Each structure stands twice: as structure tokens, then as C-alpha cells.
Amino acid sequence: MAHPIRPDEFDPEYYRSTNPDLGLLGDDELYHHYESIGRAEGRPAAAAAFREVLVQIAGQLESILEIGPFYRPSLAGPNVRYFDVLGYDGLCKRAREHNLPVTEIPHIHYVSPDGDLSTICDTFQAVFSAHVIEHQPCLLSHLRQVAQLLPPGGFYFLAIPDKRYCFDHFIPESTIADVLYAFQEQRTRHTLASVIEYGALTTHNDIQRHWKGDHEDPGFRDALVNRIHAAIELYKNAQGSYIDVHAWQFVPDTFRSIVTLLHSLELLDLYPVVVYDTPCGRQEFTAVLTKIAAPH
């Protein structure tokens, strides 16, 4: 089939059609508007900036693995397989514990309690995940495991929370140094730092408030000391067992930069095809990585 992904991240026809106020501008003028004004305003530059469109593109492929569908998979059909840390019965139990519906929970084809993708022996044309990579104790190990599931030219489709518009707002963006340090440690559990960030430094998760510049609830700073103490106590009581928190905070530009650097360092066979900016009113951005040989 034809290559399903545009090679660029700016579609002038889409941008023109979704911005009637710019209908008379030429392609170059549209791009200048997007770079100077549109990006900051959250005007999407391509349809695939929205997860639902990216899912439609991914769903056209003959074989695809969705990681972490939990109670509401993004993809469905005979060409889709699912991986999660729990099987069907375990996911149903977890959903009920959180008062979530169980009617859409799929059969889970591959299960690993540690989220270890290397237990999968099959390969796929593509892998899809939504709000998964930020939970990985070692980002590079996760990306390398995904690459092993893909043939050359295969795709990793992602929906990733933008830290600016979710509860991670006040936590600093992750850096390439953070990623390489986690890989050097071969980290399989989250650090005390991540547990403190998640337990003490997170804020509200109201998307519209974040887009309006309202990031902090009343009393947020006054509660920091107690929240830090509680996070440290949680970490101590876990005694090395897994605590599910966010380890990574991204915006589109830094995610693109980190993956590009990992490829340039010959540590990763994945390279970003597109990384779309976050649309206004959303808290996630989309990206597509492809498997290509590392440079020599």
C-alpha cells in the first residue's frame, strides 16, 4: 500500500481549510503564519495532529500491536493485537476497582507484568501506544523493544501527553541526559525523584484551564511539604516494588530532539517521521517514528 504518512508536519491545504480567516494566503504565507502565530495559538497544521485521525491511518496497516489498551482500546479489528501488564480478567478487575466500564476491554494477546515487550516473538507493521511512554522507567529500553517488533520501514504511532496542558505542568521537561542516565542504570522501577514529582509537584488536569494559563489550584504551594512527605513515605513502603508514575515530561520539540539524538548516537533504530504540535484544547500531541538503520 502507499506510504500512509505525509513526509512533513505542515499541510497547507488543511491549514487553509481549517482557518477561514487565512483563506486568501498562499502556501508560503500560511507557513509563515503558522510559525509566527499559529503554533502558539494551537492551530493544528495537519489532520494527524489529532489522535483519532492518527488511529485511522494506523488502522489501515495489515498488522499492528496496541500497547496498554486497558479498558478502552484505540484500535480494533482482525489486524490488531494487544499487549498489557494484565490479562483480560485482570483488566476487568482493575476497571471495576476504578468504576470504569468493562464492555470494551479486549482479549489481551500478550501479557507481561513488567511491561517487557521482548516477551513477544511476533513482528508487526506498526505499534501504537497512547499515554504509555511517559510511564516507562527507561525510555530508551522501551523504544528499543518496540524497534525489535518492527521490520525496516515499520512505524511506531504515539499519542503523548504535553506536559504544559496536564497535571505535569510544573515538572521540568525531560532531557537527553535524563534518558541516557536511566538507560545506563537499566532502570526497571521508578526513582524516588519521579515519585516525589508525581506525588507532590503535579497540579490539576483541567485542559481548558491550562490553555487559558490557569495552572495552579489554591493552596498548591502550601501543601507541598505534606505532599513531599507522603511521596517519600509511599516510596519507602513500596520496598522496591513498582509504583506507577510519570517518569518523562515532553513537549513536541523536546520529544523530537531526544529521539533524533538517540538515533544519531546509534543507540536507536527509530527516527521521527513527524511530530505534530498539540492542538488547542487538547493535552496530547501525536508522533510517528519509523525504523531505519542507524547512521555509520
Side-chain angles (χ1 to χ4, degrees):
M1 61 179 294
H3 196 303
I5 304 299
R6 289 180 57 91
D8 55 348
E9 297 163 355
F10 179 79
D11 182 345
E13 290 303 320
Y14 177 85
Y15 198 65
R16 183 180 290 109
S17 67
T18 55
N19 294 283
D21 56 320
L22 308 177
L24 298 179
L25 299 184
D27 290 358
D28 290 343
E29 293 172 307
L30 287 171
Y31 182 77
H32 176 73
H33 180 277
Y34 175 67
E35 284 294 326
S36 59
I37 298 174
R39 289 187 69 184
E41 293 181 343
R43 299 197 191 198
F50 294 94
R51 187 206 299 199
E52 54 269 30
V53 177
L54 193 73
V55 165
Q56 291 177 358
I57 295 171
Q60 298 173 25
L61 299 176
E62 293 179 5
S63 63
I64 185 165
L65 176 72
E66 180 172 351
I67 302 173
F70 189 19
Y71 73 99
R72 185 177 296 168
S74 295
L75 292 150
N79 59 331
V80 183
R81 296 291 182 269
Y82 301 103
F83 171 91
D84 216 312
V85 296
L86 296 171
Y88 174 81
D89 292 340
L91 291 178
C92 287
K93 179 181 178 182
R94 176 178 287 182
R96 292 189 181 101
E97 289 172 349
H98 292 85
N99 295 315
L100 296 170
V102 301
T103 53
E104 294 183 43
I105 295 178
H107 168 70
I108 304 300
H109 302 86
Y110 312 98
V111 178
S112 170
D114 294 327
D116 184 1
L117 294 170
S118 68
T119 60
I120 302 174
C121 297
D122 300 315
T123 58
F124 307 87
Q125 285 186 310
V127 174
F128 174 88
S129 73
H131 294 234
V132 166
I133 65 166
E134 68 275 12
H135 292 269
Q136 304 303 314
C138 181
L139 176 68
L140 179 53
S141 293
H142 170 76
L143 293 174
R144 291 176 74 151
Q145 287 184 356
V146 170
Q148 289 300 309
L149 300 174
L150 299 172
F155 298 107
Y156 187 14
F157 297 87
L158 305 103
I160 304 167
D162 186 323
K163 55 98 44 183
R164 297 171 296 181
Y165 308 114
C166 72
F167 52 67
D168 283 339
H169 179 85
F170 292 117
I171 302 174
E173 295 172 25
S174 301
T175 70
I176 186 64
D178 299 325
V179 174
L180 294 176
Y181 185 36
F183 182 67
Q184 181 186 26
E185 291 192 327
Q186 289 296 291
R187 201 174 289 164
T188 60
R189 295 291 186 269
H190 290 298
T191 64
L192 173 60
S194 290
V195 174
I196 292 173
E197 287 176 339
Y198 191 81
L201 303 184
T202 50
T203 181
H204 69 80
N205 208 36
D206 187 318
I207 304 170
Q208 300 305 323
R209 283 177 61 190
H210 282 301
W211 272 96
K212 293 176 181 177
D214 176 12
H215 307 298
E216 186 176 314
D217 282 326
F220 172 81
R221 299 183 188 279
D222 294 336
L224 280 176
V225 171
N226 289 337
R227 292 178 71 185
I228 291 170
H229 282 311
I232 294 172
E233 193 68 17
L234 173 64
Y235 184 82
K236 288 180 179 178
N237 290 339
Q239 296 183 333
S241 62
Y242 184 81
I243 302 173
D244 187 25
V245 299
H246 286 191
W248 310 103
Q249 286 74 33
F250 299 115
V251 302
D253 287 344
T254 56
F255 177 75
R256 179 194 292 106
S257 174
I258 286 171
V259 177
T260 301
L261 282 169
L262 292 173
H263 180 76
S264 297
L265 289 165
E266 301 188 20
L267 294 172
L268 182 64
D269 287 346
L270 297 176
Y271 189 84
V273 180
V274 286
V275 180
Y276 295 106
D277 288 313
T278 306
C280 182
R282 299 288 182 105
Q283 67 173 180
E284 65 183 13
F285 62 94
T286 61
V288 183
L289 313 181
T290 191
K291 183 175 180 178
I292 57 178
H296 294 287

